[in-house]
Amino acid sequence: MRFNLEIRDIEGAKRIILPMFSRQSRSFGRIEAVIDTGAPKTILCARDALRLNIPLANLDSETPLTGLGRGKVPVLLIKNFAFSLRNTEGEPVVLSMELLVVDVPSIRKEGQEKLNNALRIPTLIGMDFLEKNN
């Protein structure tokens, strides 16, 4: 499947962006995800989780991630995240997949500096998305 991508300069480096739209219940909104072939999993960032008001209370904890920002980042598992993309013909394609979301409540307990660092990390499209959608 082919999707429309954008190339942008972010903090002095070229990044490939995949525009998406969350279709999660009560969490609708636009997401701009950076394609990261070094990330094994797709990760919804803290900033997007807060903006979309993703309900985090009943999600399962996963092993904290390293390589994102400073130190380990606690994450939760969304088993069935619904979203849509536009294909190269401009038609919407609705998809659903398992992804990780930054555990904002846990990070808040660690202090404002840790939260500020987490808020700088973008949403990432990992290899799981790329493999699943060719």
Side-chain angles (χ1 to χ4, degrees):
M1 204 174 306
R2 292 179 183 235
F3 302 108
N4 288 323
L5 302 174
E6 300 172 10
I7 297 176
R8 290 214 200 112
D9 190 23
I10 299 175
E11 296 181 15
K14 298 268 186 212
R15 300 284 185 242
I16 301 172
I17 305 294
L18 178 63
M20 307 164 47
F21 188 83
S22 170
R23 299 180 66 89
Q24 278 301 94
S25 179
R26 299 179 300 278
S27 299
F28 297 101
R30 184 174 164 85
I31 301 168
E32 293 187 342
V34 174
I35 300 214
D36 184 353
T37 58
K41 296 266 191 184
T42 297
I43 305 161
L44 186 66
C45 72
R47 184 180 60 250
D48 286 338
L50 289 170
R51 186 177 49 78
L52 296 171
N53 203 23
I54 300 289
L56 302 173
N58 296 322
L59 299 177
D60 295 327
S61 287
E62 289 287 305
T63 303
L65 298 175
T66 56
L68 292 175
R70 298 179 184 152
K72 293 183 178 182
V73 177
V75 292
L76 303 167
L77 178 66
I78 298 177
K79 293 181 182 174
N80 206 13
F81 186 79
F83 59 99
S84 64
L85 307 163
R86 295 232 177 248
N87 65 18
T88 52
E89 289 78 38
E91 301 161 342
V93 177
V94 178
L95 301 170
S96 178
M97 68 179 283
E98 181 176 283
L99 59 74
L100 299 175
V101 59
V102 173
D103 186 351
V104 177
S106 290
I107 292 174
R108 277 194 171 125
K109 292 176 187 174
E110 296 182 34
Q112 190 62 42
E113 183 180 347
K114 183 88 170 181
L115 179 60
N116 290 343
N117 288 333
L119 290 170
R120 285 194 275 278
I121 300 168
T123 290
L124 300 175
I125 294 292
M127 288 302 296
D128 56 345
F129 174 89
L130 298 174
E131 290 172 341
K132 181 178 179 180
N133 296 291
N134 294 320

